Amino acid sequence: MSKPQSIIEARAALESGALTPASLVKQTLENIDQWEESLNAFIETLPEEAQAQAAATSQPGRLAGIPIAIKDIICTVEGHTTAGSKILQNFQALFDATVVKRLKREGAIIIGKTNCDEFAMGASNEYSAYGPVKNPWDLSRVPGGSSGGSAAAVASGEVLAALGSDTGGSIRLPASFCGVVGLKPTYGRVSRFGVIAYASSFDQVGPITRTVKDAALLLEILAGQDDFDATTSAEPVDSYVNECGRDIKGLTIGLPQEYFGEEVHHEVVATVSKAIKQLEALGAKTKKISLPLMSAAVPTYYLLVKAEASSNLARYDGLRFGQVDVPSKKLLEQYLQTRGKYFGPEVKRSILMGTYVLSAGYGEAWYKQASRVRTLIRREFQAALKDVDIIAGPVAAEVAFPLGSKAADPLQMYLADLLTGPASVAGLPAMSVPCGFTNGLPVGLQLIAPHFQEELLFRVGHAYEQATDWHQQRPKLPSAENK
Amino acid sequence: MPDQISPADVKKMAELARLGLSSQELKQATKDLQSIFEHFAIIQQIDTDGVPTTDDITGLKNVVRTDQAQPEVLSQTDELLEAMPETKDRQLKVKKIFE
């Protein structure tokens, strides 16, 4: 039976009749069965719903018959939507998120809901209330977070593609740690409607795929204005797939010295530098640049997102969005008990931090100051992107770290966003592309483009991918004794 | 720079945020927040005189639509009522607020 390695290959196999939607769903469920015991990438799989969707698939859609996994922070009418939290363990959405609706409109099949850090707060997937996800390249290591389940599911071959969400690196970091392509679109490029909010001025949904072209195809389908999300942009959506294949001669790539500084592991620097050489060999010019405010990006980012989160999470009271049990008889006690019992440690920490930075007496010094620094960081990127077409550097300062190594130290966990946070603060689109391995663990090349110029990410990413074979490397299925 | 965070501060935040915390959690949260804010104090050093806050990141202008009721666009009222834990006369029933 044909075993497609990308959405585009799978579509060709479906069109030629080498595969049927039903056989592809069957194959996907078998892949999940083989890996899932080792990975814990899914909170819920939807075999019956997927088989029914497959049986009902009619041809013309651009994703007709393609099983796609959805991060469990995104609402689907099928199954539950837990956001990786116990407080939503009984929540069943009554409607699909706009992104899910758009996938379905093209014939995609929702195969399951992937594991993630609780309310997408985390860089390792260890803050999920449903157990950590393991990295398919090394089961003793984290897959990165918060979209760790989505990245692990794609890297292992459980699925061809998944949706993730990225607030400060939650698509790019796991994509880098797992050796797959992950795109965070420009803020406002993709609808957030039906996506459980972490920080509303940062959150973006994006694709996690094996190839750059698959990511381009998915963004073409996901992007665009939505009546249900006033922050979506009216900017036209380009034909991103057509950008894959254009050469990169004459493009100028900016290399911020701060992305190659001493905080970044020397082997990561060496691997990414080799990728930059490859881009030069393909005809791109490079230019050293500097983004001195990068050191302020993580504090700025966390002060703002935790403030937004504390407000967004006020709605979880144990009554709405699926009831959970507590013994109390009084309403106030019910709130205290529910939120105390069913939120995990990082979510509680976030609510406390956010409430603090917004509270009377501290709002000016913390929240407002962070918002002003955000303006400065945005301007710094804008100025840099006047001189160069695109910025490149590593996605993360290190490769996937061992499970348990940062989970008890929130500050260390926050610093995992060192190189992904800046683009998020500036609302810029950014992508992780596999660019090699150090000690058997994947390294990601990060590309950052100006607002609404995702086409540059696809053009450069695809050119690089075609010149290398990192995206074809696959982790081995663990043997029975190593699961 | 603001003073160091005390357990009393954290307790007050927990009350404001309707968050029940055990004494152990309160202790740990105080420690965590102290170390986080100590690191984050770096942003206090940055000169932001005359710099506006970022209220929108991509230059979006006001978005308006016709004020027109769109009944049951996403889901039916009956479905919503059915999803509620307890209802009375087609309304959500909650616990008493006043004694």
Side-chain angles (χ1 to χ4, degrees):
Chain A
M1 187 167 62
S2 155
K3 279 232 167 198
Q5 298 299 312
S6 66
I7 295 176
I8 287 169
E9 277 181 35
R11 277 301 306 147
L14 287 163
E15 267 176 30
S16 73
L19 277 176
T20 63
S23 65
L24 186 54
V25 164
K26 186 164 172 278
Q27 197 181 100
T28 305
L29 291 169
E30 284 168 4
N31 295 339
I32 293 173
D33 265 355
Q34 283 186 318
W35 273 96
E36 201 45 21
E37 197 189 327
S38 308
L39 296 182
N40 193 30
F42 283 86
I43 291 178
E44 188 174 19
T45 53
L46 301 161
E48 280 155 34
E49 293 86 344
Q51 279 154 354
Q53 276 179 283
T57 298
S58 57
Q59 278 306 316
R62 285 179 285 174
L63 298 173
I66 304 293
I68 292 183
I70 309 291
K71 184 179 184 181
D72 207 24
I73 199 143
I74 301 170
C75 289
T76 55
V77 291
E78 295 85 5
H80 294 78
T81 299
T82 70
S85 181
K86 287 289 179 200
I87 210 166
L88 292 180
Q89 58 186 306
N90 299 320
F91 174 51
Q92 287 180 284
L94 291 170
F95 49 82
D96 283 326
T98 297
V99 287
V100 172
K101 212 179 272 175
R102 289 188 179 189
L103 293 180
K104 284 183 178 172
R105 202 163 60 194
E106 295 292 342
I109 293 169
I110 309 307
I111 198 79
K113 305 297 289 287
T114 53
N115 203 343
C116 57
D117 287 291
E118 187 174 359
F119 288 102
M121 298 175 185
S124 72
N125 222 118
E126 291 166 292
Y127 295 148
S128 166
Y130 300 88
V133 177
K134 313 287 174 58
N135 191 311
W137 293 95
D138 178 347
L139 299 179
S140 72
R141 289 173 187 269
V142 304
S146 65
S147 313
S150 292
V154 174
S156 62
E158 285 186 325
V159 292
L160 295 170
L163 293 190
S165 68
D166 190 313
T167 305
S170 282
I171 288 174
R172 289 161 285 158
L173 191 70
S176 174
F177 282 6
C178 291
V180 292
V181 175
L183 169 79
K184 181 200 91 77
T186 308
Y187 181 78
R189 183 70 296 181
V190 173
S191 169
R192 292 178 294 111
F193 180 76
V195 181
I196 292 174
Y198 172 6
S200 307
S201 81
F202 291 80
D203 298 343
Q204 271 295 287
V205 171
I208 295 179
T209 56
R210 302 263 187 82
T211 68
V212 172
K213 208 172 188 174
D214 277 2
L217 174 64
L218 287 180
L219 188 67
E220 258 181 55
I221 291 161
L222 298 172
Q225 208 165 15
D226 177 15
D227 286 345
F228 294 128
D229 176 0
T231 62
T232 49
S233 170
E235 285 277 327
V237 177
D238 292 302
S239 170
Y240 302 122
V241 174
N242 290 342
E243 292 297 317
C244 300
R246 281 186 66 191
D247 75 50
I248 60 168
K249 286 194 185 83
L251 283 183
T252 306
I253 300 175
L255 307 173
Q257 60 181 21
E258 295 80 5
Y259 279 66
F260 298 86
E262 59 184 21
E263 293 107 326
V264 186
H265 194 282
H266 64 94
E267 286 181 20
V268 170
V269 170
T271 307
V272 171
S273 300
K274 225 182 260 177
I276 308 286
K277 287 267 176 300
Q278 181 73 57
L279 292 171
E280 286 173 339
L282 291 166
K285 289 181 283 197
T286 53
K287 187 177 173 194
K288 289 208 165 61
I289 59 170
S290 179
L291 298 166
L293 281 172
M294 207 197 84
S295 57
V298 164
T300 302
Y301 168 77
Y302 275 99
L303 289 164
L304 295 173
V305 298
K306 297 309 188 190
E308 293 185 27
S310 71
S311 166
N312 277 327
L313 268 61
R315 72 191 67 170
Y316 301 108
D317 55 8
L319 288 168
R320 291 175 286 177
F321 315 109
Q323 196 177 21
V324 287
D325 269 345
V326 285
S328 111
K329 298 270 180 287
K330 290 184 186 157
L331 193 64
L332 177 61
E333 272 174 25
Q334 176 168 16
Y335 291 157
L336 293 170
Q337 288 175 9
T338 300
R339 292 161 65 81
K341 181 174 173 188
Y342 292 100
F343 280 144
E346 174 59 17
V347 172
K348 288 182 184 168
R349 199 154 40 228
S350 301
I351 292 172
L352 292 169
M353 273 174 72
T355 307
Y356 184 74
V357 303
L358 289 173
S359 63
Y362 301 108
E364 182 65 33
W366 289 112
Y367 180 76
K368 287 265 176 74
Q369 173 69 359
S371 186
R372 291 188 189 103
V373 177
R374 187 179 193 184
T375 303
L376 294 175
I377 291 172
R378 181 170 49 114
R379 287 178 184 167
E380 191 171 273
F381 269 106
Q382 257 167 0
L385 285 162
K386 278 201 182 107
D387 294 336
V388 300
D389 296 299
I390 194 167
I391 291 170
V395 174
E398 57 187 334
V399 291
F401 45 87
L403 285 155
S405 62
K406 293 185 203 279
D409 186 344
L411 184 58
Q412 285 310 308
M413 193 68 89
Y414 294 170
L415 290 171
D417 290 340
L418 184 72
L419 305 178
T420 49
S424 298
V425 170
L428 298 168
M431 183 160 73
S432 177
V433 182
C435 75
F437 292 81
T438 97
N439 301 320
L441 294 165
V443 176
L445 167 70
Q446 182 171 211
L447 302 169
I448 303 170
H451 288 144
F452 302 108
Q453 292 189 33
E454 280 84 354
E455 68 269 17
L456 281 169
L457 302 177
F458 296 124
R459 187 173 159 193
V460 175
H462 181 79
Y464 175 76
E465 183 185 82
Q466 293 309 296
T468 56
D469 67 354
W470 308 118
H471 62 292
Q472 290 163 351
Q473 317 265 342
R474 296 274 175 273
K476 283 194 192 70
L477 187 69
S479 55
E481 65 268 26
N482 291 330
K483 277 183 182 175
Chain B
M1 186 200 144
D3 296 333
Q4 228 192 13
I5 295 166
S6 67
D9 289 330
V10 177
K11 196 157 174 264
K12 188 178 159 215
M13 295 311 134
E15 280 164 16
L16 288 173
R18 303 282 186 264
L19 195 59
L21 290 185
S22 69
S23 56
Q24 179 52 40
E25 283 180 314
L26 189 75
K27 214 171 125 190
Q28 185 62 43
T30 308
K31 205 175 130 218
D32 289 343
L33 263 57
Q34 279 172 354
S35 118
I36 291 164
F37 282 106
E38 201 177 301
H39 182 84
F40 287 5
I42 180 181
I43 72 151
Q44 314 289 355
Q45 316 296 322
I46 297 169
D47 181 3
T48 56
D49 260 5
V51 178
T53 54
T54 288
D55 301 316
D56 165 67
I57 197 76
T58 56
L60 210 59
K61 296 284 179 288
N62 284 341
V63 179
V64 292
R65 64 168 170 76
T66 321
D67 187 14
Q68 199 171 28
Q70 296 180 35
E72 307 190 337
V73 175
L74 293 162
S75 42
Q76 307 297 311
T77 310
D78 287 338
E79 286 177 346
L80 290 168
L81 286 165
E82 207 173 299
M84 293 177 189
E86 211 178 336
T87 57
K88 191 181 170 188
D89 303 332
R90 287 172 72 79
Q91 292 184 62
L92 174 66
K93 195 176 166 192
V94 295
K95 288 186 172 130
K96 260 197 233 171
I97 298 169
F98 300 109
E99 292 302 320

